[in-house]
Amino acid sequence: MTRVTVKSLTVVRDGATLLDDVGFEAADGEFIGVVGPNGAGKSTLLRALAGVEEQASRSVFIDGAPVAKTPPRERAKTVAYLPQLREVHWSMTAEAVVSLGRFAYGTGRRLGPADRAAVDAALAAADCESFRSRVASTLSGGEQARIHLARALAAGTPVLIADEPTAALDLRHALSIMKILRARAQAGALVVAALHDLAAARHFCTRVIVLAEARIVADGAAETMVSEEVLERVFGVTRADLRLSEFPAADG
Amino acid sequence: MQRNDIMRMVPVAGVAVASILGACLIGPADLSAGEAMRGLFSADSAGVIVREIRLPRALAAWTAGAALGASGAAMQGLLRNPLADPGVLGVSASAALGAVIAIYFNLSAAASSATPMAAILFALLATALLYAAGAGRLSPTRLILAGVGLSSLAGALIALVMNLAPNPFILSDLVNWLFGAVTNRSFADLALTAPFIAAGMIAIMLAAPGLTALSLGEETAATLGADIPRTRALAIAGAALMTGGSVALAGAIGFVGVVAPHLARPFVAHDPGRAIIPAALIGGALLSLADLCIRLLPFDQELKLGVAAALIGAPAFIWIAARTQRIVR
């Protein structure tokens, strides 16, 4: 049983309030979609959950322990984090990148049989097996996104934080990543993902948190949160703006 | 280092040992190869020449090269910049400044080890200055900027000392030292600098797993379980100690520290943490080979080691820069 608690989390940087008194609780088995306009504070919230936002050290707790104060190695066994900016320096292979997901286990460099199995399973789950021995930086954007997801999956943590995991992906791979994340939650993990695709959030997530201007403006079951009212109030977009009816039908 | 890494480094270690032994065979004194080899163990005049002149020189070249290779690998890994070198933080320029000041005031008249000691002292001072400026928390770009500032300051002060040199003899001493050389090095010089280089190597090896994690960027590395402030502190301190030791031993020698890590990386699947020991071995082999070359060249005036290293290293550096598509991120 893993419980994440966020208590009145406020982050101010260079005079700008990035998060303002944000609070919620979450438990394993949930797949939470964090949605909201650009600059609403989604990434900052996710960074705080992952323990890399220093100002959040007294506000985010996993099973009662402040996440930013937990030693890195211990934290890495609890929370895996897929940042929005996914860098790979040097000409490392896809498999080497995914293996770094097991860094916190063992010496960080020598993988045991359990680590190998976790890496193989993650490569398979994210559909990366066909290019596992290729150099990561030479792969396509979608392939790189899947490698980084596999890296986060390989850690086998009870909490998985993903910042826009489907950005830059084609429909098929976006769908497959949402399915992987949902499966992870169904297997007992807590998954929190920042998403821009509201339809995907509504379909795959169990719960949606809507952020706007550094505050939580709505939080609840996915079906009720992604509504016309939220679209209009938070994104300033109406159904008419989306002009969904203008998509040509198959028969012309 | 994994076991197959070690196997692949055997030829490199072989080159280093061969060039050190080769350096024992060559010199102005007319000794046959057999006499020279026996000289490694005998007590006659050949023994004195080989053990007290040729061997320390060869070992000094190897040690300085190894220190530059390892600290270059650590800096490239830490800064995630393939063009970083041991001098990127300004430590080697500061060490050179220390030596230049010692030469200017002729401190070696008071104590023969004054010049290398001053170099190490200034390297440590520069490192302390970097930490006082917050090096443990700085981003790679800010760290490089701080290093460029420190390097230029040390460079300006070196120029000032040379400008003020009262006579051509001191000036020529300064210039000779700045070119970098391992001629006339003794085991005393090695004994003075080896502890710093060894301590630096230990610090860098402790930072190595963190350097591997840093391949994915600082934030991700932290969430992978790497202790980034500790990695940064160990890598900077280790590189500073090794660079300071190397400058104290051989003067200012460029390019080995940039080139050796690049040659090492393919041996270890481009893992920056695993590249450190191979980079040390390759750096050592490169510099002992370079020192061997300058003794074989038929010039009246022996080429300085730093000059030879730059002549070989600069084209290699340009080649690396041209091959690197993403230089800084």
Side-chain angles (χ1 to χ4, degrees):
Chain A
M1 186 73 190
T2 308
R3 175 159 291 274
V4 170
T5 313
V6 180
K7 282 185 203 158
S8 59
L9 168 60
T10 299
V11 176
V12 179
R13 190 170 300 127
D14 297 335
T17 304
L18 303 183
L19 285 176
D20 182 11
D21 195 22
V22 165
F24 63 92
E25 285 208 13
D28 44 5
E30 287 190 271
F31 180 6
I32 303 181
V34 179
V35 305
N38 294 132
K42 300 187 295 297
S43 291
T44 310
L45 175 59
L46 264 50
R47 284 165 41 80
L49 292 173
V52 288
E53 182 61 62
E54 274 177 36
Q55 292 182 47
S57 57
R58 282 187 299 275
S59 309
V60 180
F61 303 86
I62 295 184
D63 292 332
V67 66
K69 295 273 192 226
T70 312
R73 196 172 280 266
E74 291 314 304
R75 190 176 64 212
K77 292 178 182 173
T78 313
V79 191
Y81 171 58
L82 181 63
Q84 204 171 347
L85 178 67
R86 294 155 207 152
E87 334 168 43
V88 181
H89 299 274
W90 315 117
S91 305
M92 294 171 81
T93 62
E95 188 174 349
V97 172
V98 177
S99 300
L100 279 175
R102 303 299 294 179
F103 184 85
Y105 302 84
T107 66
R109 277 192 277 169
R110 220 180 282 273
L111 297 184
D115 301 313
R116 284 251 153 262
V119 168
D120 286 340
L123 281 164
D127 193 16
C128 299
E129 280 166 317
S130 59
F131 48 85
R132 63 187 288 165
S133 44
R134 282 180 56 200
V135 172
S137 55
T138 64
L139 297 170
S140 76
E143 289 167 335
Q144 293 195 24
R146 277 143 61 199
I147 286 171
H148 286 274
L149 176 68
R151 190 266 299 158
L153 291 174
T157 52
V159 181
L160 175 58
I161 312 291
D163 198 349
E164 298 194 20
T166 57
L169 290 189
D170 64 51
L171 273 177
R172 187 168 74 86
H173 283 111
L175 273 179
S176 91
I177 280 188
M178 291 303 290
K179 283 180 187 160
I180 293 166
L181 293 177
R182 181 173 64 185
R184 201 67 174 194
Q186 283 166 349
L190 165 64
V191 180
V192 184
L195 296 168
H196 275 300
D197 184 344
L198 299 180
R202 184 189 171 106
H203 182 70
F204 288 99
C205 296
T206 59
R207 173 177 166 192
V208 165
I209 292 177
V210 186
L211 277 177
E213 291 172 4
R215 305 183 74 103
I216 292 182
V217 293
D219 178 0
E223 303 83 49
T224 55
M225 282 304 107
V226 182
S227 61
E228 275 187 57
E229 189 257 331
V230 166
L231 271 183
E232 203 165 334
R233 184 159 60 94
V234 176
F235 293 91
V237 173
T238 64
R239 182 177 283 270
D241 289 330
L242 291 173
R243 292 168 190 265
L244 289 174
S245 60
E246 287 191 4
F247 276 102
D251 53 25
Chain B
M1 290 284 276
Q2 298 174 354
R3 190 177 296 127
N4 46 357
D5 292 358
I6 295 170
M7 291 313 292
R8 271 175 282 184
M9 291 318 294
V10 168
V12 177
V15 169
V17 171
S19 55
I20 289 172
L21 286 179
C24 292
L25 300 180
I26 302 164
D30 194 15
L31 296 178
S32 74
E35 282 170 326
M37 280 297 110
R38 275 193 303 279
L40 279 173
F41 311 101
S42 68
D44 55 4
S45 64
V48 172
I49 290 168
V50 173
R51 280 204 310 273
E52 288 178 22
I53 299 173
R54 295 181 182 179
L55 186 60
R57 170 178 179 163
L59 287 177
W62 186 86
T63 308
L68 291 172
S71 50
M75 283 299 104
Q76 293 186 359
L78 179 71
L79 303 171
R80 281 150 281 143
N81 186 329
L83 298 182
D85 74 349
V88 69
L89 298 183
V91 175
S92 47
S94 305
L97 174 64
V100 160
I101 289 174
I103 294 170
Y104 179 87
F105 289 108
N106 198 18
L107 296 182
S108 56
S112 60
S113 59
T115 308
M117 275 169 76
I120 288 175
L121 185 69
F122 270 65
L124 295 177
L125 273 175
T127 315
L129 210 63
L130 280 171
Y131 276 103
R137 298 184 308 274
L138 293 182
S139 70
T141 317
R142 301 271 306 276
L143 209 50
I144 292 173
L145 284 176
V148 168
L150 197 56
S151 282
S152 336
L153 182 63
L157 291 172
I158 289 172
L160 176 70
V161 172
M162 293 172 76
N163 192 196
L164 296 179
N167 60 57
F169 302 108
I170 285 187
L171 190 60
S172 121
D173 274 359
L174 290 174
V175 169
N176 275 332
W177 197 86
L178 284 173
F179 278 164
V182 284
T183 39
N184 305 324
R185 290 300 178 274
S186 66
F187 276 111
D189 294 319
L190 276 167
L192 178 72
T193 50
F196 294 94
I197 292 175
M201 191 67 189
I202 291 169
I204 287 178
M205 287 315 292
L206 289 173
L211 296 180
T212 301
L214 275 172
S215 306
L216 301 188
E218 293 201 1
E219 210 160 87
T220 306
T223 66
L224 292 175
D227 188 337
I228 299 306
R230 176 174 173 273
T231 300
R232 221 184 265 150
L234 283 169
I236 293 174
L241 284 167
M242 292 191 95
T243 313
S246 139
V247 173
L249 194 56
I253 289 173
F255 298 109
V256 174
V258 192
V259 175
H262 285 278
L263 297 176
R265 227 165 260 128
F267 287 97
V268 292
H270 296 265
D271 179 330
R274 270 157 65 196
I276 288 166
I277 291 176
L281 291 174
I282 290 175
L286 280 179
L287 211 52
S288 23
L289 267 183
D291 192 45
L292 194 60
C293 283
I294 60 180
R295 293 209 261 174
L296 294 171
L297 288 175
F299 295 151
D300 286 347
Q301 180 81 33
E302 194 178 89
L303 221 57
K304 292 288 174 194
L305 184 56
V307 177
L311 281 175
I312 304 165
F317 183 86
I318 293 168
W319 174 69
I320 289 166
R323 269 188 4 146
T324 307
Q325 287 137 22
R326 294 171 306 162
I327 292 178
V328 187
R329 278 230 318 227

